């Protein structure tokens, strides 16, 4: 223990044991999967991230050792822990420089977004010095002024190689390309079975997988375009799932990004039109439905049905609002009748 602590100090890491774990310390061979909860704080106690409070799932972090995770210090510290152990690691700036980028990706994932959204096409070190906003004020400040961080980690599970199914993010590029058609089909099957949330996750994982590969290519190159064409149907299916879960603004955002690149994508216009209609954007919905008819006249009956539904919703809403305010400005309400008050008699006093 003392020898390990000394080596950590030499690397700029100070460990404080909070709660001991159970059993023997694992040898942690490459390919081992570690599952842990983490809390990241500044040295003054300000909390930046807490895996138990991120998003709606509070999912723990999962790492496959030996896969060159961007924040290498996490791999370094977990191999000093026993399963069930809770420990605090104060890490020097040289160990935490890439944390803003890692945090951005983890926050995107917890919000159901592309983990690479907002990151430029360059290496991590180049991004640090690019002064490009990460979309979070605290991460921008940390990126501009790197400083030591405190990681409080609870090691939940240690799974030896071969005892678990490999996660998508831990696959090689070839494994990812081979896996995407399979995960796409799994999503389609789940969708047909009415398991919308499960299908959403499958489509999302497929998109994230291809986006990761796409980040390694130059935008516009042949391979980049090929990957983008693979992403498009997955993204459209993902949007269909979001429509069924009333995530209308996210549908509008994703479909708009597709239309920006592929201006004749009728499915993107159709889904965006339905999302606009759902959030009372009548003008935008009509414009998109008109574009759908222009691109594919055979969809006339479907468009007509959607327009009737939208118009009925609008009439119902107007009727409801009229009923809500009825009487507030009703000029037929009888007015109060003025009454004449007789003057008070004056008392005459005899002399």
């Amino acid at each position: 223990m003392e020898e390990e602590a000394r080596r950590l100090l030499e690397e700029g890491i100070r460990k404080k044991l909070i709660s001991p774990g159970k059993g023997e310390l694992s040898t942690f061979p490459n390919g081992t999967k570690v599952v842990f909860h983490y809390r990241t704080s500044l040295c003054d106690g300000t909390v930046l991230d807490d895996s138990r409070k991120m998003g709606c799932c509070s999912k723990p972090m999962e790492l496959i050792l030996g896969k060159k995770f961007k924040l290498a210090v996490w791999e370094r510290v977990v191999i000093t822990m026993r399963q069930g152990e809770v420990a605090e690691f104060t890490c020097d700036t040289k160990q935490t420089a890439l944390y803003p980028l890692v945090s951005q990706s983890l926050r995107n994932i917890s919000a159901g977004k592309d983990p690479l959204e907002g990151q430029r096409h360059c290496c991590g070190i180049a991004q640090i010095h690019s002064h490009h906003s990460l979309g979070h004020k605290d991460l921008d400040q940390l990126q501009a002024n790197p400083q030591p961080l405190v990681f409080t980690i609870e090691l939940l599970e240690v799974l030896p190689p071969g005892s678990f199914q490999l996660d998508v993010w831990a696959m090689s590029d070839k494994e990812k390309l081979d896996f995407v058609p399979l995960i796409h089909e799994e999503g389609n099957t789940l969708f047909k079975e009415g398991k919308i949330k499960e299908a959403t996750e499958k489509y999302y994982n497929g998109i994230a997988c291809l986006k990761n590969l796409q980040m390694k290519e130059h935008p516009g190159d042949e391979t980049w375009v090929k990957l983008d064409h693979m992403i498009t149907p997955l993204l459209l299916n993902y949007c269909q799932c979001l429509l069924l879960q009333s995530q209308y603004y996210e549908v509008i955002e994703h479909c708009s990004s597709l239309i920006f690149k592929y201006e004749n994508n009728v499915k993107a216009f159709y889904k965006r039109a339905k999302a606009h209609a759902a959030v009372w954007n009548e003008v935008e919905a009509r414009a998109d439905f008109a574009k759908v008819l222009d691109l594919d006249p055979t969809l006339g009956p479907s468009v007509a049905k959607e327009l009737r539904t939208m118009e009925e919703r609008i009439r119902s809403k107007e009727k409801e609002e009229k009923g809500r305010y009825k009487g507030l400005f009703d000029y037929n309400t009888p007015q109060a009748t003025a009454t004449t008050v007789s003057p008070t008699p004056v008392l005459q006093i005899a002399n």
Side-chain angles (χ1 to χ4, degrees), residues 259-298:
I259 291 167
F260 180 77
K261 292 183 290 186
Y262 308 108
E263 58 185 17
N264 292 326
N265 191 307
V266 65
K267 291 184 178 180
F269 274 108
Y270 191 78
K271 295 182 194 304
R272 190 174 74 171
K274 292 183 69 172
H276 275 309
V279 294
W280 309 103
N281 294 340
E282 182 183 2
V283 174
E284 293 85 350
R286 289 187 182 279
D288 279 351
F289 279 130
K291 185 65 176 179
V292 169
L293 290 177
D294 182 50
L295 293 171
D296 188 353
T298 65

Side-chain angles (χ1 to χ4, degrees), residues 53-59 110-111:
K53 299 178 181 179
M54 293 178 73
C56 59
C57 301
S58 301
K59 292 182 66 174
S110 70

Side-chain angles (χ1 to χ4, degrees), residues 17 35 38 51 58 61 64 80 90 117-118 135 138 149-150 156-157 167 193-194 243 262 278 319 348:
L17 182 65
V35 183
Y38 68 92
S51 60
S58 301
M61 181 68 188
I64 307 295
T80 71
T90 303
E117 182 179 308
D138 56 347
L149 295 175
V150 180
L156 303 175
E157 286 186 278
D167 291 318
E193 294 174 352
L243 276 173
Y262 308 108
K319 184 178 179 180
Q348 298 292 328

Side-chain angles (χ1 to χ4, degrees), residues 235-273:
L235 186 54
L236 287 169
N237 288 358
Y238 181 66
C239 286
Q240 183 60 37
C241 291
L242 294 179
L243 276 173
L244 294 173
Q245 296 173 81
S246 303
Q247 301 294 320
Y248 303 119
Y249 289 104
E250 192 171 346
V251 173
I252 292 170
E253 180 183 349
H254 287 309
C255 288
S256 295
S257 70
L258 281 174
I259 291 167
F260 180 77
K261 292 183 290 186
Y262 308 108
E263 58 185 17
N264 292 326
N265 191 307
V266 65
K267 291 184 178 180
F269 274 108
Y270 191 78
K271 295 182 194 304
R272 190 174 74 171

Side-chain angles (χ1 to χ4, degrees), residues 71-181:
L71 192 67
V73 70
W74 274 3
E75 290 197 35
R76 178 67 183 92
V77 299
V78 294
I79 65 173
T80 71
M81 302 177 69
R82 289 176 169 79
Q83 187 165 310
E85 180 180 323
V86 181
E88 181 181 279
F89 299 89
T90 303
C91 304
D92 289 352
T93 303
K94 64 181 180 180
Q95 300 282 4
T96 64
L98 290 175
Y99 185 77
L101 296 176
V102 172
S103 176
Q104 182 198 36
S105 293
L106 294 174
R107 292 182 187 187
N108 283 343
I109 290 171
S110 70
K113 299 180 180 179
D114 177 359
L116 300 175
E117 182 179 308
Q119 294 189 15
R120 291 186 171 182
H121 184 80
C122 54
C123 70
I125 297 298
Q127 291 193 52
I128 289 174
H129 297 291
S130 69
H131 304 293
H132 174 59
S133 176
L134 298 174
H136 301 275
K137 186 177 179 180
D138 56 347
L139 298 184
D140 287 341
Q141 292 174 344
L142 184 59
Q143 183 171 246
N145 301 288
Q147 55 190 283
L149 295 175
V150 180
F151 301 115
T152 304
I153 293 177
E154 179 182 1
L155 185 57
L156 303 175
E157 286 186 278
V158 179
L159 303 172
S163 66
F164 56 91
Q165 183 179 353
L166 202 62
D167 291 318
V168 172
W169 58 266
M171 295 178 179
S172 67
D173 289 356
K174 185 179 183 306
E175 288 171 332
K176 289 176 183 176
L177 276 176
D178 292 340
F179 188 64
V180 167

